[in-house]
Structure formats: structure tokens, C-alpha cells
Amino acid sequence: MQRPAWAPQGIDISVPSVSRIYDFYLGGSHNFEVDREAARKAMEFLPGLPKIMQANRAFMRRAVRYAAEASITQFLDIGSGIPTFGNVHEVAQQASPGASVVYVDHDPVAVAHSRAVLEDVPHTGVVTADLRKPREILESPEVAELIDLERPVALLLVAVLHFIAEADDPYAAVAELGEALAPGSLLIVTHASNEGMPIETERADGMVDVYRNDVRNPLIMRNRDEIKRFFKGYEVVEPGIVAMPVWRPDTAPEDEDPYTFAGYVGVGRKA
């Protein structure tokens, strides 16, 4: 297998990656055949996966605009993946020139490509770190330089929490991050769930098995009450914890693909 020029040395390009599979679903070019094979295998069980990811990105952009309209100018995006058109810094800096954005990911391809994309973009930074280790993120030089934790921050956990197993206590990680944020900060979350799936649970379980066995990453399908627990200490803003097309939509939700109602999103404001 030939290694593309953009692929960092030292990564195993024979093993699929969550970030690169996500890039494939979004129509990106920073993925390998092994990622595409895993994605196509998952789509045999859940053919609407690209629609779900596109709706996820659309919600992220609406939530970032909402944060900017609330005068938040600092954005911390953990589990950011590979930048594609309309990413956080583009939306945030269009709405609020001078806004600071720090991307965090543990995938070497995501980090390397993010640094290349952001090389000439002011007020942006990239951190190699894992959500499961909040102190490494909060104490990183990039966060220290670009994020003033004494002022409100928009913390984005978009399509990442469902990859953290219960044994790694994602609730504790989110709580630790939240404790470091100033009052008025926003928590922006998207999370996969079997609730709202337009297919049988057994077929969704087949997709989960692909991630566990082929991608070697857990995919935890939490229910709405379990997802709501991440917002402890936050006031959930209207319309609440809802399906992606329902959260402050730009188009009529009834016009959206049925698959886009799989999972939940929400925005909470720290008191």
C-alpha cells in the first residue's frame, strides 16, 4: 500500500481510523482504502451514515453561529477530526473576526492535516491530545496562548463522546473540562443513539460491530437520558436535547432524510 504524501510517518495505514472514515462520509479525500472499506461495510447495515454525518456538521455550524451571536469568541473543539469546508474556525471567524479556535484530536492524520490547513490562519491552534485526559488539553501551550479560561468558551464535543467507553468514564472527563470553564460558557454536544433510527436495532448493532471489530473502536449508542447527563451543571438552551434537524433548523425538519433523526444534539450554558 503506497503512503500518500500527506500521511504522517509512523501511522499504520493498514488499520482504519474513526477520523478518516468520518472524512470519507463527508466526501473528503484524506482517507485510505482501508477506511473506505470499513465505511462501506458499516453502510451495509446503516446506509444513511453519510446523511447522518452531514446533518451532524450542519448542526455544528448552527451551534457555532449561535455561540458567536451570544458574543462568545473562543472555541475549543475536542475530537475535531480532519478539517473540511465549513469547519469551526471558518464559521466562527466569519461571524466574529478575531475569534480564537483550538482543535484537539489524537489521530495523527487529523492533527497533521489540521496544522497544514491552519498554517496561515490567525488565532487558531491544534493540540494532539485525548478527550480522556482533560488536563493535557487544558494545560497545553496552544490553549494557554489562545484560550482565556476566565472568559466564556464554546466547548465542542461533536461526534466524539460515543467513541468513549463507560470504562473510561466520559462523564468525568466532560465534568473536568466544564469545571475549568467560566460561567456563560457553552457545551455543544452531538451523540449517536439507537433512538430515532429508521431501522431495526439489530441492523444498527451490526454497524456497531463493524466499528468494534474492524475499526477497533467502541461505538456506544446511549439513550437520551444518558446523553442528558453530560449537561450536568449546564442550563440546556431551547429547544433542548433533540434530533439534529430539530435544533434551530435552517430548513423544515420534515424535509430532512429520516436517518438524520438518529442520535441527539444539545447546547448547554454554564451557570
Side-chain angles (χ1 to χ4, degrees), residues 2 24 40 71-72 76 100 114 156 159 201 231-232 234 258:
Q2 186 175 1
F24 171 73
R40 287 190 285 263
S71 300
I72 290 180
L76 180 57
S100 298
S114 297
L156 292 96
T201 300
F231 290 91
K232 184 178 180 180
Y234 296 85

Side-chain angles (χ1 to χ4, degrees), residues 48-71:
L49 278 166
K51 290 291 185 182
I52 293 172
M53 304 312 170
Q54 291 161 18
N56 185 77
R57 296 286 293 187
F59 160 78
M60 179 273 289
R61 290 190 286 268
R62 298 197 304 275
V64 169
R65 288 198 299 267
Y66 173 84
E69 290 166 2
S71 300

